Amino acid sequence: MTPEELLETYYYKGLNKGDNGEAVLRELVAENVKFRGVFGHRAKRGIPFLLEYMRAARRALGPYTFEIEDMVVSKDDLKASVRLTCRGVHKNNFFGVPGSGHEVQFTTAAFFKFTKDADSKIHISEVFAVGDLDELKRQIGADTEHATAFEVPK
């Protein structure tokens, strides 16, 4: 499987399938994966953390899905980055705001590192994700007063 195919499978047959995609994720992700999700939690290691993080995101944002917009893979096939559109429904408490039922959409980017096993099969060994949380907070009515670090002069 190429890195591109691996990431498409990770998102479309893994993360987008909710609990039904967890077996797929276990096949694609290294056991000791280092994972830092878009919502700012400190990076931790292991598949159990990644899976629980995604369950928590789905509890807050309902049927939380990803659509790959752009993907770049390094020449050695050991690193990649993707730009994604994320969609969901604000179902439960999120950024201190009770669930509203509103649909949300925002952009994220994720950076990946891969490792190869003895059979040259690649696995995701690191995920570092960032996102447009200001836009997401605006959509659910969360406080964005101090969301921007500084003003950019016009």
Side-chain angles (χ1 to χ4, degrees):
M1 184 179 296
T2 67
E4 293 89 348
E5 292 167 333
L6 186 146
L7 291 175
E8 287 173 353
T9 303
Y10 174 80
Y11 284 108
Y12 297 131
K13 294 181 180 176
L15 296 180
N16 284 1
K17 298 296 182 182
D19 292 345
N20 296 327
E22 288 187 8
V24 171
L25 294 174
R26 289 180 187 279
E27 289 292 317
L28 302 176
V29 176
E31 186 65 34
N32 199 30
V33 64
K34 183 177 181 182
F35 179 80
R36 188 238 185 234
V38 69
F39 302 119
H41 295 80
R42 174 185 264 150
K44 293 188 179 179
R45 291 199 174 271
I47 293 174
F49 175 72
L50 182 151
L51 295 177
E52 187 50 45
Y53 181 94
M54 294 313 300
R55 289 180 199 125
R58 285 194 304 273
R59 282 191 297 272
L61 296 177
Y64 186 54
T65 61
F66 300 86
E67 182 178 344
I68 297 171
E69 303 292 344
D70 294 301
M71 184 184 316
V72 177
V73 176
S74 66
K75 288 182 183 181
D76 64 5
D77 286 344
L78 295 178
K79 294 179 185 175
S81 61
V82 294
R83 183 175 60 88
L84 305 142
T85 298
C86 302
R87 294 180 180 87
V89 177
H90 181 212
K91 290 174 63 173
N92 289 300
N93 191 42
F94 197 58
F95 288 110
V97 178
S100 64
H102 293 116
E103 292 184 5
V104 296
Q105 177 177 313
F106 62 104
T107 301
T108 66
F111 303 89
F112 293 85
K113 289 185 181 178
F114 306 106
T115 55
K116 292 183 181 180
D117 64 17
D119 298 325
S120 294
K121 183 178 175 185
I122 62 170
H123 297 276
I124 297 169
S125 59
E126 189 171 328
V127 182
F128 183 90
V130 295
D132 188 353
L133 297 184
D134 288 350
E135 177 57 30
L136 177 57
K137 287 177 181 180
R138 276 191 277 284
Q139 291 178 40
I140 66 170
D143 176 25
T144 59
E145 181 179 340
H146 303 290
T148 304
F150 53 86
E151 293 292 323
V152 177
K154 293 183 179 182

